[in-house]
Amino acid sequence: MTADQDVIVINSQVAAGSVGGRASVFTLQHAGFAVVSIPTVLLAWHPGHGASTRIVPDGFGDLVDDIAGAPWLGRVGGMLSGYLGEAGQAVAVARLADALKAANPGALYLCDPVIGDSTGLYVPRATAEAIRHHLLPRADILTPNLSELAWLADRKVSGPHAVGEAAAALAVREVVVTSVTTGSAGETGAALFGKDGPLLARHTLLKGTPRGTGDLFAALFMTARLRGEAGRAALARATGGAAAMAAAAERLGVDELPLAERAADLAGDVEAMVAIEPWPEVG
């Protein structure tokens, strides 16, 4: 697949900041893709900055169905879904995924299940269950963090072997788990499970993780896969790009990704930020 194909992004939209759809769309457009952007919720800013008006678009399902029936759907090479505003949106996204596969069987669907972190779910349980029930069976690629992996697989995840078992239990062709422990102090990483794995990408753990790194990681991995890069290269590109942008945020003293200011970093040698090695399955 090449950058002359369209990509559909279904994600949150903030008026200020570089999280959610702002990060996803920017990254894919910067890579040369034409993006069809569908907002799932409208916010003034990331909730971590404080309370703001939250708008879940009326007629979301109707809008999605318009896209599903568009005459140009066959030229869409991929679809990325992230944060959902409410459980019912998962059903509409599933319909669009089915329509896309019918129009272009080779299209890729990446589901970034934005549902929680180490503190637990930060979406209603019904929304998380809708993602598990409707979207996981349709996804070609899944990019959960370690906590999301455990919740979706409905099992405790402790140790490398358990991570691999949980990823396999989801029955998605390719699962890329972020925020995994590497066994070395001062490090974190991402693990790839699928036909090109299992692989681990390790990089230095920063003092503070800026908001939006998960959205950036998913978009970078999608970019690499749409360009036909193999799993090892895609993992290095996504992990390295997210790490490079997070390091830039730390240098600038900001708590969100400086995408516009440091866009050139995404085109640099970001793979040098990470070390790729086989996933330690025993443990």
Side-chain angles (χ1 to χ4, degrees), residues 17 48 100 128 151 176 250 263:
L100 177 58
W151 193 90
V176 192
E250 185 176 72

Side-chain angles (χ1 to χ4, degrees), residues 9-31:
V9 170
I10 306 168
N11 209 341
S12 59
Q13 175 70 41
V14 292
S18 55
V19 300
R22 290 285 292 269
S24 306
V25 172
F26 181 93
T27 302
L28 286 157
Q29 287 180 329
H30 186 260

Side-chain angles (χ1 to χ4, degrees), residues 48-265:
H49 294 309
S52 75
T53 299
R54 184 179 191 274
I55 302 171
V56 178
D58 289 334
F60 176 86
D62 293 333
L63 187 150
V64 169
D65 288 342
D66 286 345
I67 303 299
W72 42 260
L73 189 63
R75 74 168 182 253
V76 173
M79 184 174 91
L80 185 159
S81 70
Y83 182 87
L84 299 187
E86 52 91 15
Q89 290 181 344
V91 179
V93 175
R95 291 198 303 269
L96 181 53
D98 291 343
L100 177 58
K101 289 289 187 177
N104 180 6
L108 292 177
Y109 170 35
L110 186 154
C111 175
D112 185 17
V114 184
I115 60 173
D117 54 25
S118 59
T119 64
L121 292 179
Y122 48 61
V123 300
R125 185 179 183 88
T127 301
E129 290 177 342
I131 290 172
R132 180 162 58 188
H133 180 72
H134 295 287
L135 301 187
L136 262 62
R138 292 170 167 83
D140 300 295
I141 306 167
L142 190 73
T143 57
N145 60 38
L146 193 60
S147 300
E148 290 163 342
L149 171 70
W151 193 90
L152 291 169
D154 193 22
R155 62 178 67 194
K156 291 183 179 180
V157 176
S158 178
H161 185 67
V163 174
E165 285 189 331
L170 298 180
V172 177
R173 188 171 75 189
E174 191 164 53
V175 178
V176 192
V177 187
T178 59
S179 303
V180 299
T181 55
T182 66
S184 299
E187 282 190 344
T188 187
L192 168 68
F193 300 93
K195 67 181 182 65
D196 292 336
L199 293 172
L200 169 67
R202 299 186 290 107
H203 66 89
T204 301
L205 180 64
L206 301 173
K207 294 179 181 178
T209 301
R211 299 180 177 95
T213 52
D215 301 298
L216 175 62
F217 181 94
L220 286 171
F221 194 86
M222 183 69 152
T223 295
R225 279 311 210 185
L226 289 174
R227 286 174 167 171
E229 295 182 17
R232 185 185 186 91
L235 181 64
R237 168 62 59 175
T239 308
M245 194 59 65
E250 185 176 72
R251 291 194 301 272
L252 294 171
V254 296
D255 63 358
E256 287 197 11
L257 302 174
L259 293 174
E261 299 91 331
R262 305 301 305 176
D265 289 0

Side-chain angles (χ1 to χ4, degrees), residues 29-47:
Q29 287 180 329
H30 186 260
F33 292 95
V35 178
V36 179
S37 179
I38 305 173
T40 58
V41 62
L42 306 175
L43 301 162
W45 45 68
H46 186 282

